[in-house]
Amino acid sequence: DTEVTQTPKHLVMGMTNKKSLKCEQHMGHRAMYWYKQKAKKPPELMFVYSYEKLSINESVPSRFSPECPNSSLLNLHLHALQPEDSALYLCASSQVGTHTDTQYFGPGTRLTVL
Amino acid sequence: QQQVKQSPQSLIVQKGGISIINCAYENTAFDYFPWYQQFPGKGPALLIAIRPDVSEKKEGRFTISFNKSAKQFSLHIMDSQPGDSATYFCAASKFTSGSRLTFGEGTQLTVNP
């Protein structure tokens, strides 16, 4: 099973709302990632967790708060977002080994901030 | 130094034709070059990848050609099919970058029946 699942598929929120995106994998991967992807652009790395600890934060604004409760789950908590944060948010996972380990992506959550 | 330049931005090919997408990089520390395929409404999926110690890698209809001296690599899709219509991203990474992939800007491929 090489599936990464993400919920919800679509999310519409106002700028004052608090919401969370969820990601789950059961491949035994100990590295999990959040990416942001704008239309017709490549994915942009936001956060990386390795063994449930935050290892990379690509200077993401604090209105995005990641959480890795266990080795299979990854959350992204959203608060006070801006309309320009509207995008496809992708979760990915991989083995923790070398930089050549394949990253498996989920289908993404399409986020619209009004 | 971290950029990967990809061309063309869009490509239209007839069924049965050859699709060619090119990428160029500057940072000679890059040593792993994957290609990702993304269908609408889906996340990217690894298609094929190459290390610079080989000049070509083939998997089915998909071939990566790698020119280390020119710092260029390309994806060739032989016998292109309508089902190959997707966005293709080249990427590069290096040992010291850990999990970071540097992506190209993407190529939207349309294969007409």
Side-chain angles (χ1 to χ4, degrees), chain A residues 81-100:
Chain A
L81 295 192
Q82 304 297 309
E84 59 265 29
D85 296 322
S86 297
L88 182 68
Y89 287 84
L90 294 162
C91 173
S93 70
S94 75
Q95 301 283 1
V96 177
T98 74
H99 63 298
T100 61

Side-chain angles (χ1 to χ4, degrees), chain A residues 4 13 20 24 38 40 60-61 66 72 79 82 89 96 98 101 103 106 110:
Chain A
V4 175
M13 60 186 292
S20 296
E24 190 166 5
K38 290 281 206 178
K40 299 187 186 300
V60 179
S72 300
H79 174 55
Q82 304 297 309
Y89 287 84
V96 177
T98 74
D101 290 317
Q103 294 185 25
R110 176 75 60 189

Side-chain angles (χ1 to χ4, degrees), chain B residues 3-32:
Chain B
Q3 245 185 334
V4 175
K5 295 183 180 179
Q6 183 172 345
S7 63
Q9 196 171 25
S10 63
L11 180 62
I12 300 174
V13 173
Q14 291 299 118
K15 179 182 175 181
I18 302 174
S19 304
I20 302 175
I21 304 171
N22 300 300
C23 287
Y25 63 98
E26 288 295 322
N27 192 336
T28 55
F30 286 139
D31 64 354
Y32 177 65

Side-chain angles (χ1 to χ4, degrees), chain A:
Chain A
D1 181 11
T2 58
E3 188 178 23
V4 175
T5 60
Q6 291 187 243
T7 55
K9 290 190 189 310
H10 301 275
L11 180 62
V12 179
M13 60 186 292
M15 290 190 285
T16 58
N17 291 158
K18 287 185 181 181
K19 296 286 185 183
S20 296
L21 309 184
K22 298 185 184 302
C23 172
E24 190 166 5
Q25 57 87 16
H26 295 288
M27 294 179 277
H29 292 164
R30 301 303 295 275
M32 296 187 76
Y33 311 74
W34 281 115
Y35 286 85
K36 173 183 178 180
Q37 186 177 29
K38 290 281 206 178
K40 299 187 186 300
K41 291 293 185 182
E44 298 174 41
L45 185 64
M46 300 174 70
F47 304 103
V48 181
Y49 273 83
S50 180
Y51 295 108
E52 296 88 68
K53 293 191 187 309
L54 185 64
S55 59
I56 296 176
N57 177 343
E58 295 286 58
S59 303
V60 179
S62 60
R63 58 185 183 268
F64 295 91
S65 175
E67 177 195 21
C68 190
N70 61 54
S71 60
S72 300
L73 294 174
L74 186 66
N75 298 320
L76 186 63
H77 303 296
L78 313 172
H79 174 55
L81 295 192
Q82 304 297 309
E84 59 265 29
D85 296 322
S86 297
L88 182 68
Y89 287 84
L90 294 162
C91 173
S93 70
S94 75
Q95 301 283 1
V96 177
T98 74
H99 63 298
T100 61
D101 290 317
T102 300
Q103 294 185 25
Y104 293 87
F105 285 83
T109 293
R110 176 75 60 189
L111 174 67
T112 302
V113 182
L114 301 177

